[in-house]
Amino acid sequence: MIPEPGVVPSALAEPTVRVRPGWTAAVVLANVGVFAAWLGPIQVLLAKQSESVAPGNKEFVFGLVTGVGAAVSVFANPAFGAISDRTTSRFGRRVPWVVAGAVGGAVGLGILAGAHLIVLMLLGWCLMQLFGNALLAAATAVVPDRVPVLQRGGVGGWVAISQVLGALVGTALAAAFDSYALGYAACAAFLLLSVVPYVLRSHDVQLVERPTFVLRDFLRGFWISPRRYPDFGWAWLTRFLFNVGNALGTLYLFYYLQDEVGVDDPDTAVLILTAIYSVCVLTTAITCGRWSDRSERRKIFVTASGWVMAVAGIVLAFWPTWAGAILGAIILGMGFGVYLAVDFALLTQVLPSAQDRAKDLGVINIANSLPQVLAPAIAAPIVKHLGGYPVLYLLASAVTVLAGVLVTRIRSVN
């Protein structure tokens, strides 16, 4: 595309120079940091804190805090993405928001560490979601900014597994301390340290003139017409459904292990399952991401991942034992690894505009965040009144299968 007058062409042009492993590692580490700061609390710390603050109503408090925080992220990610796209700092478009996101997120985790009231839990978690999404919006956009299309499956595989590595690191930090306050402090420290390598070697390209900002167009940009950009619409919907299925399947893992499986130490059990799951995700994400690059095909991998993830839900529904949980983690990790790597590469190929990469990826990230709002509202009544965990996991399986089928509607990508 032809860039707007006054904008450095390389900031908007499709990249052609392959990125180096060191650059990829720095981007991955920054992503691992923010996901550790999110998933350590979601997997362990917020669950323990909710039980401490409201012992008789832990599911409601946990769902309230995570749901409200997710609602914040629905708007924060595309908003900060749009701001990042228009940032003219001499450090580049992305670096300032990576730094601001890490600092603000650490403040939110600090508030959570000292919170003994629900309102303070809400405040701390909303700040973590707000600034964490500022960081994520910038760190996600650097892939289409810098990585050529035929390298995105491999690089996308590494970036995608940062979510899983973040879950592993965050869960390990959370489980390492008896006090949830110390767990939050450890996650905050790791978040701050994780962005340092990216800040030092980002090589962001500066915009010499800020693109025109029209509020009406910005607000309209949150709704990208499926009729005008049908492939973007189908990509958004399938990602939304995959994340609904994943959220339904993982939101209450701590309580599933504690109340349904009956393990004595759910903190350690979550850590073990997360480690097993992470190894499987790592293996399939890197392998299938590169395989997808070589074959220049994306959709068949995403469809297959939906079916594999559905099998994991069936195992958890009908075999609520420690052995069943391990098998479910293995299967889910294999399927989710393929999905994370290849779907991310697919998404970068259907973005409507090079000028608005971060904002458009922020709209895509609504498909990641909105399920976190909906999942507690769906999961809590199912667990308490409508059939319990078997129904919950079967529903999660059905949703991922549907997502895998609908991805075939995308036409511009093989």
Side-chain angles (χ1 to χ4, degrees), residues 152-154 156-158 160-161 284-286 288-290 298 336-346:
R152 284 184 196 168
W158 283 107
I161 62 173
T284 56
I286 301 305
C288 292
R290 291 173 176 169
R298 311 294 192 196
F336 201 56
V338 177
Y339 163 74
L340 283 175
V342 181
D343 189 64
F344 183 76
L346 183 153

Side-chain angles (χ1 to χ4, degrees), residues 11 74 119 128 151 153 157 179 223 244 253 255 261 300 302 307 309 334 340 344-345 363 380 389 402:
V74 165
V119 66
M128 178 59 227
Q151 199 185 5
S179 164
W223 173 253
V244 167
L253 178 61
Y255 298 143
V261 177
I300 189 171
V302 178
W307 286 96
M309 291 168 65
M334 293 173 64
L340 283 175
F344 183 76
V363 173
Y389 288 103
L402 177 61

Side-chain angles (χ1 to χ4, degrees), residues 30-338:
N31 279 272
V32 170
V34 72
F35 280 113
W38 274 330
L39 297 175
I42 288 176
Q43 296 280 52
V44 176
L45 298 175
L46 286 172
K48 291 173 66 175
Q49 191 171 18
S50 297
E51 193 168 25
S52 174
V53 171
N57 209 12
K58 60 187 181 183
E59 293 91 352
F60 171 77
V61 172
F62 181 62
L64 174 68
V65 173
T66 56
V68 173
V72 171
S73 72
V74 165
F75 298 99
N77 201 293
F80 277 112
I83 295 169
S84 173
D85 286 331
R86 290 162 175 79
T87 296
T88 55
S89 164
R90 66 188 181 88
F91 300 105
R93 292 183 293 172
R94 314 305 182 193
V95 167
W97 299 107
V98 169
V99 174
V103 173
V107 171
L109 292 173
I111 293 173
L112 280 166
H116 300 289
L117 299 173
I118 296 173
V119 66
L120 290 178
M121 290 178 64
L122 283 166
L123 174 61
W125 190 239
C126 286
L127 283 175
M128 178 59 227
Q129 287 283 17
L130 180 71
F131 286 101
N133 275 282
L135 193 165
L136 186 66
T140 302
V142 300
V143 176
D145 281 351
R146 295 289 310 280
V147 182
V149 169
L150 292 181
Q151 199 185 5
R152 284 184 196 168
V155 174
W158 283 107
V159 173
I161 62 173
S162 62
Q163 179 175 341
V164 179
L165 292 175
L168 180 59
V169 172
T171 304
L173 292 173
F177 304 96
D178 292 332
S179 164
Y180 60 74
L182 291 176
Y184 283 124
C187 289
F190 182 77
L191 173 61
L192 291 171
L193 292 173
S194 70
V195 303
V196 173
Y198 175 74
V199 171
L200 294 177
R201 63 184 310 159
S202 65
H203 306 300
D204 278 352
V205 177
Q206 180 185 1
L207 291 181
V208 296
E209 182 179 326
R210 183 178 293 110
T212 302
F213 179 83
V214 179
L215 180 60
R216 182 181 61 183
D217 292 342
F218 168 71
L219 294 174
R220 187 183 299 162
F222 279 79
W223 173 253
I224 297 177
S225 171
R227 182 172 298 179
R228 186 176 179 187
Y229 302 105
D231 285 351
F232 185 88
W234 285 115
W236 190 97
L237 178 60
T238 56
R239 194 167 186 85
F240 171 77
L241 291 173
F242 267 112
N243 280 285
V244 167
N246 188 60
L248 291 175
T250 61
L251 181 66
Y252 287 145
L253 178 61
F254 184 92
Y255 298 143
Y256 171 76
L257 294 170
Q258 182 183 67
D259 301 333
E260 188 80 359
V261 177
V263 300
D264 295 328
D265 185 359
D267 290 38
T268 303
V270 170
L271 176 58
I272 292 170
L273 291 182
T274 303
I276 294 169
Y277 167 84
S278 300
V279 170
C280 295
V281 170
L282 276 166
T283 303
T284 56
I286 301 305
T287 302
C288 292
R290 291 173 176 169
W291 185 7
S292 174
D293 282 342
R294 289 194 299 269
S295 66
E296 298 185 27
R297 300 186 70 186
R298 311 294 192 196
K299 293 187 293 187
I300 189 171
F301 291 92
V302 178
T303 298
S305 71
W307 286 96
V308 174
M309 291 168 65
V311 172
I314 293 170
V315 170
L316 294 173
F318 292 110
W319 196 14
T321 65
W322 179 236
I326 290 174
L327 179 60
I330 292 170
I331 298 171
L332 184 63
M334 293 173 64
F336 201 56
V338 177

